[in-house]
Amino acid sequence: MRARSRAHSPTSLRALAVAAGAALLLAGCSQDPAESSGQGAPAGGKATTTLTVGVFGAFGLKEAGLYDEYTAQHPDVRIEQTSIERNENYYPQLLTHLGTGSGLADIQAVEVNNIAEITATQADKLVDLGKAPGVDKAAYLPWKWAQGTAKGGATVGLGTDIGPQGICYRKDLFAAAGLPTDRAAVGALWAGDWNKYLETGKAYKAKAGDGKAFVDSASGVMAAVTGGNAQRFYDDQGKVVYKTNPAVRGAFDLAARFASEGLSAKLQQFTPAWDQGFSNGNFATVSCPAWMLGYIQDKAGPEGKDKWDVASAPRPSNWGGSFLVVPKAGKHAQEAAKLAAWLTAPAQQAKLFEKRGSFPSASAAYKLPAVAGAHHPYFGDAPIGEIFARAAEGVPVTVVGPKDLVIAQNLADIGMLQVDQKGRSAQEGWDAAVAAIDNALDQ
């Protein structure tokens, strides 16, 4: 997988990461491929309604057994899912089908970086799920609910999962560098300020020696910092503002310092070298959304158990997440809205987290035992439900623009990559990224 995919489709990568390793979080999770298949044909009779669901990647709903549970409760319903492996291929097809009003599933998944375009340009073609039976706005994180709501007030997307971030760290490497290893003490090192994360890295480097970088990549730091800002690439009027937004330039310059100070392993995320870094100790920390825990466990292997742990990030931040929408052109829009509401309800989101590692976007789920009591035995029995719920509740309502993905991709793969791997200055990297973004947005 190329590094550019990191910025290009966070939830596609989240789905792949979950499929690769998040099932190791708790026992009893199914790992069937997310290919086209019928689900939940009633045992005692013939279904009268077949609802179709279109998703990308190993989305998790089928794998967690939610379709089977719903059809057991509604014996007149059958659910069929189709999946396209990558969102890059899935989303253009979805836009085409919405434009023609044909070829649509009754329920369609939408990745977080596409939801702004959907709410801005396609809301009139989608059911207002905020009015669906059983949907309670108060049960969801305000910022997640806002992302799925169009300017006219219709909530056309119900959130499935999110990617609240912590910092995963190697306890053995911290101990060798004279740093604390207890997760509360580690989190306190950088609490409230990403600059403190940089200073911790410098203290680590002073004792860790050569070949033991503090972070995996400067791009990972930049993404984590920008993911915690209410305004990033667009303002609330839909204008592209990343060039003049101090939060974006500040995140870029801070991340560039991790490179210039020699704190980065200079790896491209989601490449074989990066994967190997989790097991061979090439870096001590990585910005870590909830779904990445399974990925780390898979790549670090049994030898990494109790070496890796997870602490709170300097500031709340999010990477990833998805939504369900219901096209009005679907054959069973009313029944589909009921299913979408059920699939995204707190109880089902808690089950999805328990079995697939996808962290709930419904804050009401955080009090349920499957979330509140969740600990991860691989990461020193870390209370992951508590850590990531606290992070999720602190994320601000973030403006998501239609070309967020393009901007983030070029900042990382054109701009920061030059700084991290080619030794260019922060200004040179920034200028290269801006030129690439301008070219992409003009097309």
Side-chain angles (χ1 to χ4, degrees):
M1 185 179 300
R2 293 174 294 172
R4 67 180 293 274
S5 297
R6 178 196 187 281
H8 194 71
S9 185
T11 302
S12 292
L13 294 173
R14 182 267 304 160
L16 293 173
V18 168
L24 301 171
L25 189 153
L26 293 172
C29 149
S30 169
Q31 286 292 316
D32 294 334
E35 298 177 347
S36 175
S37 64
Q39 294 292 312
K46 185 177 181 180
T48 59
T49 301
T50 297
L51 297 178
T52 55
V53 183
V55 303
F56 50 89
F59 203 77
L61 301 174
K62 184 187 82 169
E63 293 85 349
L66 296 183
Y67 297 158
D68 289 335
E69 183 176 347
Y70 188 82
T71 54
Q73 297 175 17
H74 301 82
D76 59 335
V77 172
R78 179 182 177 87
I79 300 173
E80 293 183 352
Q81 175 180 287
T82 57
S83 177
I84 295 176
E85 182 178 355
R86 298 179 66 84
N87 185 51
E88 294 94 312
N89 299 321
Y90 167 88
Y91 182 63
Q93 293 185 32
L94 174 59
L95 287 179
T96 298
H97 293 318
L98 284 170
T100 62
S102 63
L104 291 158
D106 294 305
I107 296 175
Q108 298 275 177
V110 177
E111 206 267 343
V112 63
N113 283 298
N114 301 126
I115 193 63
E117 185 172 20
I118 290 293
T119 59
T121 66
Q122 307 294 328
D124 61 327
K125 301 170 185 174
L126 302 171
V127 173
D128 184 353
L129 296 176
K131 299 178 180 178
V135 173
D136 179 10
K137 177 180 178 180
Y140 294 82
L141 290 163
W143 59 268
K144 185 71 171 183
W145 184 271
Q147 287 178 342
T149 301
K151 287 187 177 181
T155 300
V156 297
L158 291 179
T160 54
D161 64 308
I162 55 175
Q165 299 205 65
I167 299 292
C168 289
Y169 65 99
R170 283 275 298 251
K171 289 183 285 190
D172 56 335
L173 299 182
F174 267 47
L179 295 176
T181 59
D182 173 77
R183 70 181 63 93
V186 169
L189 291 173
W190 49 64
D193 189 347
W194 284 100
N195 285 290
K196 292 181 180 179
Y197 186 47
L198 175 71
E199 294 305 314
T200 302
K202 292 164 69 174
Y204 171 85
K205 180 188 176 185
K207 294 186 178 180
D210 295 336
K212 299 294 182 182
F214 183 63
V215 299
D216 62 317
S217 66
S219 293
V221 175
M222 179 182 64
V225 178
T226 56
N229 289 288
Q231 188 177 102
R232 299 177 300 174
F233 310 138
Y234 288 76
D235 65 16
D236 55 10
Q237 301 301 311
K239 180 182 177 182
V240 177
V241 295
Y242 80 94
K243 293 180 188 178
T244 57
N245 184 356
V248 175
R249 184 58 194 265
F252 190 94
D253 288 345
L254 175 63
R257 289 189 62 191
F258 279 81
S260 64
E261 296 278 0
L263 306 181
S264 170
K266 303 181 180 181
L267 297 170
Q268 292 180 313
Q269 292 187 321
F270 297 99
T271 63
W274 187 70
D275 290 347
Q276 293 166 9
F278 287 110
S279 60
N280 64 20
N282 275 0
F283 50 87
T285 71
V286 60
S287 301
C288 191
W291 51 262
M292 196 182 283
L293 298 179
Y295 191 91
I296 293 174
Q297 182 175 353
D298 180 59
K299 299 306 177 184
E303 297 79 10
K305 188 177 187 297
D306 291 326
K307 290 182 179 178
W308 281 98
D309 209 324
V310 56
S312 297
R315 296 182 64 83
S317 178
N318 185 75
W319 171 17
S322 297
F323 297 80
L324 297 181
V325 301
V326 174
K328 292 179 180 178
K331 296 180 180 179
H332 308 288
Q334 184 175 355
E335 294 87 347
K338 293 178 182 177
L339 173 59
W342 186 88
L343 289 170
T344 57
Q348 280 63 255
Q349 291 204 23
K351 293 171 187 173
L352 190 63
F353 171 65
E354 182 179 18
K355 296 184 178 182
R356 299 291 298 172
S358 299
F359 203 79
S361 65
S363 53
Y366 301 164
K367 298 179 181 179
L368 300 178
V371 181
H375 288 69
H376 204 307
Y378 188 88
F379 291 81
D381 205 35
I384 58 173
E386 174 188 338
I387 291 171
F388 290 113
R390 185 167 60 245
E393 290 171 338
V395 174
V397 176
T398 304
V399 178
V400 180
K403 300 300 180 182
D404 268 17
L405 219 52
V406 172
I407 297 171
Q409 175 185 329
N410 283 286
L411 285 173
D413 298 343
I414 300 297
M416 193 53 63
L417 195 64
Q418 293 199 20
V419 176
D420 205 12
Q421 294 194 355
K422 298 182 180 181
R424 305 285 173 78
S425 69
Q427 187 61 50
E428 288 173 321
W430 177 262
D431 290 342
V434 168
I437 293 167
D438 284 348
N439 182 61
L441 295 185
D442 286 341
Q443 294 178 355

